[in-house]
Amino acid sequence: MAMISSTGPASAPLRKRPRFQVLTLTEAAAERLREIIDNADRPIAAVRLGVKKGGCAGMEYTMEYAEGIAPGEDVVEDKGVKLVVDPRAVLFLLGTEMDFRIDKLSSGFVFNNPNQTSACGCGESVEIKPASPEALAQAGLA
């Protein structure tokens, strides 16, 4: 029986694939998220982003305080802000830019998502398709 050695010259060191960043933040979004985190009523590790079924268009973006980071969650650090992405939402959020806008009558986070195919008239829900195979390949996931 032949034995295979992993310490010989034939073995090459394992190279880790560079991590992709699921989403990015505009400076306005980063500034608002820093304010939210700094003014939280309890210590938080990050803000958790996700999507859930709901609304008239089919899906809604979710945001909540993350007191900890669960195994399997993607951590995004951009412009000094730490976000945690729910693993079930990664394919729906891949390539998204998160912004914060203030208009005359409203203010809020806006998701510029290349996977979004439509939105309801009131702007509360969206239709999102999972990232395309091309987008996955570009991110090094395919």
Side-chain angles (χ1 to χ4, degrees), residues 26-135:
T26 64
E27 191 53 50
E31 183 179 327
R32 181 63 182 131
L33 285 167
R34 283 191 292 271
E35 289 174 16
I36 289 170
I37 292 168
D38 291 345
N39 294 317
D41 58 353
R42 62 188 184 274
I44 60 169
V47 172
R48 180 173 288 112
L49 297 175
V51 294
K52 68 176 185 176
K53 292 185 183 220
C56 49
M59 298 188 94
E60 298 172 332
Y61 294 104
T62 63
M63 293 178 66
E64 63 185 10
Y65 291 140
E67 293 179 357
I69 299 169
E73 290 184 312
D74 278 287
V75 177
V76 173
E77 294 188 52
D78 192 15
K79 297 177 180 63
V81 176
K82 188 181 287 189
L83 300 168
V84 185
V85 180
D86 182 327
R88 297 168 297 200
V90 169
L91 289 178
F92 294 103
L93 295 176
L94 188 64
T96 298
E97 177 190 63
M98 185 177 172
D99 193 10
F100 182 77
R101 293 194 188 136
I102 300 173
D103 297 323
K104 284 185 178 184
L105 298 176
S106 66
S107 65
F109 290 100
V110 177
F111 295 88
N112 301 311
N113 186 341
N115 307 305
Q116 181 177 317
T117 57
S118 66
C120 67
C122 65
E124 294 296 318
S125 65
V126 293
E127 182 178 353
I128 309 172
K129 300 291 184 197
S132 69
E134 294 80 22

